[in-house]
Structure formats: C-alpha cells, structure tokens
C-alpha cells in the first residue's frame, strides 16, 4: 500500500509498479473517480512557477514519481521515491490487467487522429479492453461542455488526458468534479508513443534512467529547453531545498 511522502513541497504516493496497478484498479472498478498525476523534473520546475499546477498536484488523489530526476532528487533529500512510475509503462500494464475485469478507457487529447491510433493499438495489445471513446485535444473552450457531456455518456472507468504539462493537470483539476465516477489521469505524450508516432528509447537506455537523453536526441528543437535548461533549474531547486534551513531547526 502507498505511503505518502513530501518532495519539493509536493506529496507523492510511494509504491511499486504492481502495487500502483492494484491500487488504481481497485479505485477504477469501484468507480471512486478522482485525479491521478505523474510528476517528473519538468513538472516540478513548472509547478515552482505555476500556482495553478501546484494546486492541482496538491489536490491530486494520487501523485506518482515519473523519471530518474525525481528519484535522484528525492533520495538526496532523504525521501527516496524508489520506483519510476511513468505513464508510458504503467498505463498499458494497467489496461492489460484491467481488460479481463471489464475496464473501459476514454482517450482525450493529442493531435487529431492520434488518440484513435493509440486506442486501436491499446485494444489490440489488451484483449477485452473497452475503448469508451476518443477525442483530440484541439477543441475550443466553447466546445468543452460538449466534450464533457460525451465523456459522461460514455461512462469510462478511466479518462486519459494527454494535453501536456501543465494544461492537462489544470484541466483535470477544473473539470474532474463534472465527471462523477470517472478517474482522470494526466498522461502527457503517451498517445504519441502508443500510436507509434514517436519511438521509445531502447530498454537498456530506459533502465539506465537516460530516456530523457534519447527523447532530446529525437526531438532537439522541441525539447532542448525542457531538458537542458529545465534540468539545471530542477537541480538548483533540489540543492536550494537541501540547504535551506528547516522550520523545526529555526525553532530549536
């Protein structure tokens, strides 16, 4: 079972991959609803300057550690998050285990056509999985209520929201209460990977915690600021927090 630990003023749920799948499936099949977020170094850097994102993470029912940066930083600060719970690995495993139990999912986000391709590949990889619906992420604010109504009618157990950080977390935080019994999960670029539009790093690179370097090499123009500048800012956040005087130390 999860224990909740604090890292950079954000509460994370510390679990292994199998434990996370068990906890999520129990929530989903009981129709508990709620919000599930993944947080990596980029998320933490963004949250430090975006109060709406920080508030969404604070209100999340589950916040999962994504990536080697968060694991390294949390270990340095004495609250180690031992497992990499990125959505690209977790969601397909969750769908595969949930398919035999009647799990249904709705894919929301990404460019037109991507969610449909990802849904088809998920269904093929997870026999028995119900695809409750798909919707690209390029809808106008005026169309939001119609999109929400379509999701309510479809009644998925799980809504996967692929809009990128911080848009997806803020969107979920704003609208999850209009989707009773549906668990909303922010999944970033998951659909592009599942649709096979973006290749994942080889297993050895992922195991070494260097998938970010692979992604940078694949999309340097889009990701250089996130990984080059962002990682330096993340390191400075961790070091600042590590050497900052604690309240309990100040009162002794």
């Amino acid at each position: 079972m999860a224990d909740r630990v604090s890292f950079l003023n954000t509460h994370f749920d510390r679990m292994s991959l199998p434990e996370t799948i068990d906890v999520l499936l129990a929530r989903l099949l009981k129709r508990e609803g709620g919000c599930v977020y993944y947080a990596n170094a980029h998320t933490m850097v963004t949250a430090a300057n975006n109060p709406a994102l920080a508030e969404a993470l604070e209100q999340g029912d589950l916040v999962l550690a994504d990536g080697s940066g968060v694991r390294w930083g949390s270990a340095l600060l004495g609250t180690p998050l031992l497992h990499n719970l990125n959505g690209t690995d977790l969601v397909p495993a969750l769908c595969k285990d949930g398919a035999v139990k009647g799990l249904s999912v709705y894919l929301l986000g990404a460019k037109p056509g991507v969610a449909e391709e990802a849904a088809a590949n998920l269904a093929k990889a997870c026999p028995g999985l119900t695809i409750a619906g798909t919707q690209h992420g390029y809808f106008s604010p005026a169309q939001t209520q119609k999109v929400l109504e379509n999701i309510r009618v479809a009644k998925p157990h799980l809504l996967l929201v692929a809009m990128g950080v911080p848009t997806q977390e803020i969107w979920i935080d704003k609208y999850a209460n209009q989707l009773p019994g549906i668990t909303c999960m922010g999944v970033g670029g998951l659909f592009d990977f599942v649709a096979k539009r973006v290749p994942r790093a080889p297993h050895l690179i992922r195991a070494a915690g260097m998938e970010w370097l692979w992604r940078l090499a694949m999309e340097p123009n889009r990701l250089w600021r996130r990984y080059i500048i962002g990682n330096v800012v993340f390191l400075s956040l961790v070091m600042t927090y590590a050497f900052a005087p604690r309240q309990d130390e100040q009162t002794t």
Side-chain angles (χ1 to χ4, degrees), residues 129-152:
L129 180 69
T130 298
I131 302 297
T134 62
Q135 165 65 50
H136 66 72
Y138 287 73
F139 54 89
S140 70
Q143 296 171 305
T144 298
Q145 287 303 319
K146 178 59 177 176
V147 170
L148 291 168
E149 178 60 21
N150 291 341
I151 296 168
R152 284 193 294 268

Side-chain angles (χ1 to χ4, degrees), residues 66-88:
D66 173 7
S68 56
V70 168
R71 286 188 295 151
W72 170 84
S74 63
L76 181 66
L77 297 182
T79 54
L81 294 159
L82 304 174
H83 304 281
N84 183 359
L85 300 176
N86 67 83
T88 316

